[in-house]
Amino acid sequence: MLTLCGFPVSNYYNKVKLALLEKEVPFNEEVVTLPISDEAALQASPLGKVPFLRTPEGSLCESQAIMEFIESAYPEPPLLPADPFAAAKVRELITFIELHLELVARELYGQAFFGGTVSEATQARVRRQLEKNIPAFKKLAKFSPYAAGELFTQADCAAFASLPLVGMATRAVFGEDLLLVAGIDYKPYIRLIGERPSAKKVLADRKAYQAKPAA
Ligand SMILES: N[C@@H](CCC(=O)N[C@@H](CS)C(=O)NCC(=O)O)C(=O)O
């Protein structure tokens, strides 16, 4: 049996959880919070990040590596197109969502979500970067109706988990949602994905986790 380790507020955890639920793969969840100090967990995820996956063959970290494992081990229903070029386009989009949008916006989270402050220099750098990367993402994303086109793919797992964070963080720090400013009307798309049973479970589990008093 697979065990997904992390916590249900993490966007990367929820990306993988969506894929497992879409494929109806049986899995357990183990809450692992940050910072990770447990030596066995650090063995599984040496950078101390979540998610990581325990499998009967050993553990795996890095959400995209986990997604690729799940896709190969449980091919149905596919979350990547069979055509190699179309599959590469999905992976390209995931890289834009995570590396060029989410990871850049992540520098704002301390101020946006955790009551911290981000220096003006960092804010300016992040804004410049996002003002370059968001229009680039817009050129690739289809939203017709899914992120990469007509099929629900891994890119939707990534987009559903990460785009709202980019929007919320930029709105909180800059006073405007830079995705919307760039003309990416992602909210109807998020609502569409949110109708899927997999996404409903991810959202319900996140809400329940957030409602729990801190241990
Ligand atoms: N590239 C990693 C990113 C995972 C990641 O950044 N997870 C966050 C939680 S959403 C985390 O563990 N942060 C703690 C840290 O970076 O030390 C992946 O795709 O799994």
Side-chain angles (χ1 to χ4, degrees), residues 6-25:
F7 54 98
V9 178
S10 155
N11 46 327
Y12 292 99
Y13 180 91
N14 284 337
K15 166 194 166 191
V16 173
K17 184 166 165 179
L18 274 170
L20 290 167
L21 291 168
E22 285 285 333
K23 287 174 179 287
E24 297 185 18
V25 176

Side-chain angles (χ1 to χ4, degrees), residues 72 75 87 196:
S72 312
R196 301 176 78 84

Side-chain angles (χ1 to χ4, degrees), residues 195-215:
E195 287 304 313
R196 301 176 78 84
S198 60
K200 282 190 177 163
K201 173 154 176 58
V202 161
L203 294 179
D205 289 355
R206 184 176 74 189
K207 196 168 165 190
Y209 183 82
Q210 285 175 316
K212 264 203 282 197

